[in-house]
Structures are given as C-alpha cells and as structure tokens.
Amino acid sequence: MTEHEPDATGPERKRQLTRAVVASAVGTSIEWYDFFLYGFAASTIFAELFFPNSDPTTGLLLALGTYFGGFAARPIGAAIFGHYGDRIGRKATLIITLMTMGVATALVGLVPTYDQIGIWGGILLTLLRLLQGISVGGEWGGSVLLATEWGDTRGGRRGFLGSWPQFGVPVGLVLGYVGLQIFQPLDPYWGWRIPFLLSIVMAGVGLYIRLGILETPVFAKVLRENKIERVPVREVIKKNWREIVLSALLRTGQQAPFYIFTVFILTYATRTLGFEASDVYLYVIVAGLVSLVTVPFWGYISDLVNRRKLYIVGAALMVAWSFVYWPLLDTRVPALVFLAIVLAAPIHDIQYGPQATFIAESFTGRLRYSGASLGYQLASVTAGGPAPLIAVWLYETYQSSFAIAVYMAVCALISVVAAYLLKDRSRQDYAVEYDEAEPSGR
C-alpha cells in the first residue's frame, strides 16, 4: 500500500478519518489564529505603531488596508495551491500552506515600527500580510477535502465532517484574542509581538500531526484512474464557472457580517460606544466559545435535512438579525451589548457550519480543490476583506449604524439567492466524477 493508495476499508479507514479530522481542525485553527491575530492588531494597535502621522480615522483605514491585502491575496493562494492540490494531492499541499503561514506570521512579530524605519514598517507588514493571505487561500480547500474525502462517499456525515475545518475559525479567533490580551500589556515593544512569534511553534505542532495522514481515498482514486487534469484551475473555470461564482456569492451574507462582528466591533465598541477594549475582547471571546459548539452542531444538522434549505434559513435569519444587532449595541447597556455580540455567533454559524461541505460538493473530485478554493476565496475580495473598511466609511459618512445594518442585510439577501441557485449534492456519491455521472454537468 502506497501513500496514494490508502486502505479504504475497515479499522484503518476509521483511524485515518479520525486523524484527518483532527489534522484539519488543528491545522486550520493555527492558520486562523495567525490570520485573526493580524486583524485584531490592525484594528487596535497597528495604526499608532506603523501610521502615526495620520489622523485617527485615516490611520485606522491604512491599518485595515494592510489587513485587506491578506484577503486580496487569498484567491491567488486558491489558484496556486488548488492547482497543486488537484495534481499532487491534498496532504503535500497542506504541509506547504501551514509552514508558509507560520513563517509569515512569525516575521510580522519582528517588523520594526514607524519610529525605527519609517513607512517601510507598513510596507513590510503589507507584504507579509499578502503571504498570509496566499497561505490561507490554499489551506481551507485542502483541509475541507482532507476531512470530507475520508468520510463515506455517499450520504453519511459529510456536513459534520466538513464543519471541523470551520471549527478552526472560532478556535483561532479565541486564541488570537486571548494571545493579545495576555501578552500585549507585558511590554510596550515586545508584548504584542510574542503571539506572532509563537506561531512558528504552533506551525511545528500542526506539521507533526499532518505528516501522519495518508492521502485521501478520493484523490487516490483519481490518481489511480489517471484522471489528473494538466491545468485544474483552467479546467474548473471552464466547466464550473457558475458554481465558482455562486459559491463566492453564497459566502457574502456570512463573511461580511462575520468580519464586522469580530474586527470592526473592536473599533466601534471602543471609539463610538465608549467601552473598554478589555470588555469587548471578553465579549468576542465568549462568542467564539459559543461557536465551538454551534459550528459542528449546524454541520451535523445539515446531514439530517436538506443542506441548501438550512443555508437559506441561516441567510434569511441574518437579514433580520442585521436590524436587531445594531440597536442592541447602540443602547450602550453592557448586558445588551454582550447579548448582541454573543448571539451573533450561533446565527452566523447556521450558514458557516454546513458551508464548507455545501461548496466542496459543488465540484467533481479531480477539480474539487481548485473549484472549492476559488469559489470560497473570491468572496474574500468582495465581502470579507472590504467589510470592515466599508463599515468604517458608512459610519463616518452617515454617522449612523443603520447604514451598516442595511449593508449587512443586502449581503445576506445575496446569499439567500445564491444558495437557492446552487445545486444541493448532499446525497450524491462524492467519489464519482460528476460530469461523467451527469452528462449535462448539472
């Protein structure tokens, strides 16, 4: 038995499935810790450290601009690593993405400030953020496929398995917030840098876990049957452009609100509402802890009901929640602000829990890494990346949170339509090439 020909039956498959799920969850937790850590720092301290000569709003926008760079780079990472993930395998590609992220994040912790090297500090931050984005762009698709392609190829618990890479998001969120909370007060220069430097240690742990995983049975079957595409990205764009576009639109009503709930809220609650940063950190950490339960829960529920219908319900609830969330925040009553921040998590997770599997199922096995990664990461440019920037601009322009609520509701409506148009394949054999089983490609 070679690495590309795993034992697909019996106890060995169950053991590999467990290891694959653990490796996916741990790996994505580390990647998202790195990614969120930068976002939190950009929202709170980077403007002062790297753009001190700007007025507060401009400095914040510049800091968030470097943050957006990571999102802009994610589709590039999706194309690069999607290509290799569909050609050389899921495992090898995931090892590269993890180490790339670990090194880039550790280097962020070593960048000199504006006082030391002037604007070059901001430039170096931006370049490292781009490297982070490229890494995350390749990580997600491989982690989802590593978990789901070791499960049953027809039916089974695919939604639940696919929720574990998503589980890495609240883990990374909590670790990132806690890291800054613990270390930032220790030293004015090195405090905030320590959580970034620790990333290289965490990446080493993730690498150790991933080296023990075999290649997935689905990719092994593609390899064995000699169905590897020469240029998978080009082929999936040609054959499945519709699914790529719908996958990106599907994420709009989940991703834009998420980065408002977790990144923009730091600025809004402290600068506008007058809350202490430590209190807001605590509220968001509690929300992240709630998501540790609700993300896999909704993934599990998606295996029991129609995945597409569940997603539509989640997106529709987000439309309504957009007009509840901001009035609760604007009361400035601590208990109600806490309630708004924490309740946003389970409502958001109705979409996020089943999302990975819903998107991955939209693409046939030999093109799945490329297609799922492109669809998922394109939303980073149109939704997640610009969301905090748009929220800052809307509030500065209209001096009202209602404008942000409308923006979030429109994003959620886009997801409702996209989910309705994207075919539900939750009952289809995951290991069969869709375009062979369905000549029409639909």
Side-chain angles (χ1 to χ4, degrees):
M1 181 183 72
T2 68
E3 184 182 29
H4 286 299
E5 294 176 343
D7 180 1
T9 61
E12 173 64 14
R13 178 161 187 144
K14 292 182 180 179
R15 187 173 72 90
Q16 285 293 322
L17 172 60
T18 301
R19 295 178 69 174
V21 170
V22 171
S24 294
V26 171
T28 53
S29 297
I30 295 168
E31 293 260 348
W32 286 114
Y33 163 80
D34 295 343
F35 204 74
F36 284 131
L37 186 61
Y38 189 104
F40 305 150
S43 298
T44 55
I45 58 177
F46 279 0
E48 180 180 347
L49 291 173
F50 295 97
F51 307 101
N53 293 333
S54 305
D55 66 81
T57 299
T58 302
L60 176 62
L61 287 172
L62 287 170
L64 289 176
T66 69
Y67 175 66
F68 173 71
F71 287 89
R74 282 164 69 171
I76 298 173
I80 294 171
F81 291 112
H83 171 85
Y84 288 106
D86 281 328
R87 284 192 58 80
I88 66 174
R90 303 3 179 167
K91 174 185 170 179
T93 305
L94 283 172
I95 289 172
I96 298 171
T97 61
L98 183 62
M99 295 312 298
T100 302
M101 175 62 92
V103 171
T105 305
L107 289 176
V108 169
L110 298 175
V111 174
T113 64
Y114 185 91
D115 289 340
Q116 295 170 303
I117 60 171
I119 195 62
W120 284 104
I123 293 173
L124 288 173
L125 273 186
T126 303
L127 293 175
L128 291 171
R129 182 59 173 176
L130 292 175
L131 196 56
Q132 278 191 326
I134 290 172
S135 174
V136 167
E139 166 71 22
W140 178 86
S143 291
V144 171
L145 302 197
L146 191 66
T148 58
E149 290 185 351
W150 267 108
D152 294 335
T153 61
R154 183 183 291 276
R157 298 172 294 160
R158 209 153 61 213
F160 180 65
L161 296 176
S163 70
W164 287 102
Q166 310 290 78
F167 176 84
V169 169
V171 172
L173 178 75
V174 171
L175 290 179
Y177 267 88
V178 170
L180 277 183
Q181 281 284 83
I182 293 174
F183 293 109
Q184 186 180 345
L186 296 182
D187 183 87
Y189 183 81
W190 285 105
W192 68 269
R193 298 174 183 273
I194 296 174
F196 286 91
L197 295 173
L198 286 174
S199 174
I200 198 69
V201 178
M202 298 172 67
V205 174
L207 176 63
Y208 173 78
I209 295 172
R210 284 188 171 173
L211 286 173
I213 306 298
L214 297 176
E215 188 52 81
T216 72
V218 172
F219 181 77
K221 179 174 181 287
V222 172
L223 189 67
R224 187 171 57 250
E225 295 176 355
N226 196 29
K227 293 182 178 178
I228 302 294
E229 293 285 351
R230 183 172 174 271
V231 186
V233 171
R234 182 181 64 191
E235 192 68 15
V236 79
I237 292 173
K238 176 182 175 181
K239 289 179 175 292
N240 300 109
W241 63 268
R242 180 178 182 273
E243 285 77 10
I244 292 172
V245 171
L246 288 177
S247 295
L249 295 176
L250 182 80
R251 299 199 63 215
T252 305
Q254 167 269 313
Q255 200 186 37
F258 176 77
Y259 285 102
I260 289 174
F261 294 154
T262 58
V263 175
F264 175 72
I265 187 62
L266 296 177
T267 300
Y268 187 77
T270 54
R271 295 190 179 186
T272 303
L273 302 182
F275 280 77
E276 293 293 327
S278 58
D279 292 334
V280 185
Y281 273 115
L282 177 62
Y283 299 166
V284 178
I285 288 170
V286 173
L289 293 174
V290 170
S291 282
L292 295 180
V293 176
T294 54
V295 166
F297 171 77
W298 289 117
Y300 171 77
I301 294 299
S302 77
D303 288 323
L304 304 180
V305 302
N306 182 287
R307 217 176 317 278
R308 179 173 60 181
K309 289 181 180 178
L310 177 64
Y311 202 98
I312 291 173
V313 168
L317 283 174
M318 184 59 74
V319 175
W321 177 247
S322 300
F323 297 103
V324 176
Y325 177 75
W326 294 102
L328 286 175
L329 291 179
D330 290 341
T331 63
R332 304 184 189 223
V333 177
L336 295 180
V337 171
F338 173 81
L339 187 68
I341 292 174
V342 172
L343 282 182
I347 294 172
H348 160 270
D349 295 342
I350 299 174
Q351 294 176 79
Y352 199 63
Q355 182 184 89
T357 304
F358 192 16
I359 291 175
E361 287 172 336
S362 299
F363 301 92
T364 195
R366 72 182 191 280
L367 302 173
R368 187 169 291 141
Y369 202 136
S370 299
S373 296
L374 284 173
Y376 187 88
Q377 303 300 351
L378 280 174
S380 301
V381 178
T382 59
L389 294 167
I390 291 173
V392 169
W393 178 81
L394 286 172
Y395 190 80
E396 290 298 320
T397 301
Y398 297 101
Q399 294 296 304
S400 169
S401 62
F402 182 76
I404 308 175
V406 172
Y407 166 64
M408 286 172 50
V410 170
C411 289
L413 282 172
I414 291 172
S415 287
V416 170
V417 175
Y420 177 78
L421 295 175
L422 192 62
K423 183 173 182 177
D424 188 297
R425 296 183 183 271
S426 56
R427 301 291 181 260
Q428 188 159 348
D429 192 329
Y430 208 41
V432 172
E433 296 300 320
Y434 298 164
D435 48 359
E436 294 177 3
E438 301 174 3
S440 65
R442 291 285 177 264

